[in-house]
Amino acid sequence: MIESELTAMTLKTARQDSVDSEGAGQRLDRWLKKRYPGVPQALIQRLLRSGQIRVDGGRAKADMRLSEGQQVRLPPQFQQTEPQQAGPPPDPAALQRLRDGLLFEDDWVLALNKPAGLAVQGGTGQRLSVDRLALGLVPAGQPAPRLVHRLDRDTSGVLLMAKRASAARALASSFEGRTARKLYFALVQGVPKRRAGRIDKPLSKSGGEGQERMRSDPLGQAAETLYAVAANAGARAALVVVAPLTGRTHQIRAHLAAIGHPILGDTKYGATKGPKGIASGLMLHAAELAVPHPEDETTLRIEAPPPADFVEACTQLGLDLGRVEAARTQLEARGA
């Protein structure tokens, strides 16, 4: 069958979908995944690469930012699934945990202290995620808050969400343009020889969806991380304050492992069994986030207290969490 005939057949069977105000500002691939969760992500990517998904009649890349009113033409593979409709939260207990972790809210944004173990975005094998619970965080009739950045499933801490499409666009620009400042607390295996420093190691990704792992690669994407040791438990472990200057997948985890000090509990990046009596989870916490507020660009600074298992691990190791302030000051002096 010649290409023109194939195109004509696709047009006859294509579905047209319209981007509403809530879809404005989202990446095309993420909008499709959220709106059509029954269509595998790998298939979505393949259809985008082959030009079978079109926006306003033209070919579109996966990272294209959508605008309200745009028309998305979808091929026959989307005919067997209906767009995702808002429904009741899948797990009231999980939703209550998120509500209990509310750190800040106004008409533009809300910030949560995300618990470790809860994925931010739904995917293969993920029954629960923040984005699937998001509608339950606002009063009935209001649109669900949308994600503007991510945390790993096993990382706890500050997660910021936008309540308006314009806020989502402004915040996404902050994260992409590096005007968002982030600080993390980590418990690492051993003690870095340099008490403070910069890790400048490009990273590249290997592994498929759900199995991603980052590795140091001179040809990879630029990645920079600042760190300062706040306290140490002899030579066994250290409490480190970390400021990522870029936002690569697993950046902090990969960088700390690359200098020989993987995060406790991070077996993916080479951590061995932690000291006796220490919880086995990933000891990484997003402690602070500062961004320009989308309404007036004044600095919005959100802090999240570390979870109980992180605090208990510090207690067991004899590490004083109060010493993070001095380490924080060191990082600020270095440009964090």
Side-chain angles (χ1 to χ4, degrees), residues 55-282:
V55 177
D56 289 342
R59 292 177 71 112
K61 294 184 178 181
D63 62 356
M64 176 184 182
R65 294 288 177 178
L66 296 172
S67 299
E68 184 175 359
Q70 285 185 312
Q71 298 297 308
V72 182
R73 195 191 76 199
L74 304 168
Q77 289 89 337
F78 286 79
Q79 297 298 321
Q80 301 304 315
T81 181
E82 290 300 316
Q84 180 71 39
Q85 302 297 324
D91 189 321
L95 176 58
Q96 189 58 50
R97 286 186 70 196
L98 280 186
R99 287 174 174 161
D100 291 343
L102 183 67
L103 299 168
F104 175 85
E105 182 176 12
D106 63 12
D107 291 338
W108 295 77
V109 300
L110 63 80
L112 304 167
N113 191 352
K114 186 191 82 68
L118 179 64
V120 167
Q121 202 163 23
T124 305
Q126 295 289 347
R127 186 179 67 86
L128 283 178
S129 60
V130 174
D131 64 341
R132 291 179 179 175
L133 294 165
L135 193 62
L137 295 172
V138 293
Q142 290 188 16
R146 65 184 66 182
L147 298 168
V148 293
H149 69 120
R150 296 182 64 180
L151 293 177
D152 292 346
R153 182 186 64 186
D154 295 322
T155 301
S156 59
V158 182
L159 181 70
L160 191 63
M161 304 183 76
K163 296 172 70 175
R164 301 184 183 189
S166 59
R169 290 191 293 270
L171 291 169
S173 178
S174 295
F175 283 98
E176 291 170 1
R178 301 191 189 183
T179 55
R181 300 192 305 276
K182 296 170 279 186
L183 282 179
Y184 289 72
F185 299 161
L187 296 180
V188 302
Q189 191 171 294
V191 183
K193 291 181 180 179
R194 294 184 60 190
R195 303 289 292 188
R198 177 190 296 261
I199 306 170
D200 185 356
K201 293 180 179 292
L203 298 172
S204 63
K205 185 184 296 185
S206 62
E209 184 179 0
Q211 301 297 321
E212 297 95 339
R213 190 180 188 281
M214 303 301 286
R215 59 184 178 85
S216 296
D217 179 358
L219 301 179
Q221 292 183 301
E224 294 181 73
T225 303
L226 300 178
Y227 75 90
V229 176
N232 60 282
R236 293 185 300 163
L239 169 62
V240 181
V241 179
V242 186
L245 301 183
T246 50
R248 308 305 176 203
T249 300
H250 297 177
Q251 177 175 315
I252 294 173
R253 298 165 63 184
H255 270 175
L256 290 173
I259 64 170
H261 300 284
I263 299 170
L264 295 182
D266 198 0
T267 55
K268 175 175 279 191
Y269 286 94
T272 57
K273 187 175 181 180
K276 187 177 180 180
I278 303 302
S280 60
L282 181 69

Side-chain angles (χ1 to χ4, degrees), residues 170 174 291-300:
S174 295
V291 295
H293 193 285
E295 180 182 23
D296 57 12
E297 296 191 347
T298 57
T299 299
L300 173 64

Side-chain angles (χ1 to χ4, degrees), residues 1-7:
M1 182 179 294
I2 63 174
E3 185 177 354
S4 61
E5 291 175 329
L6 180 60
T7 301

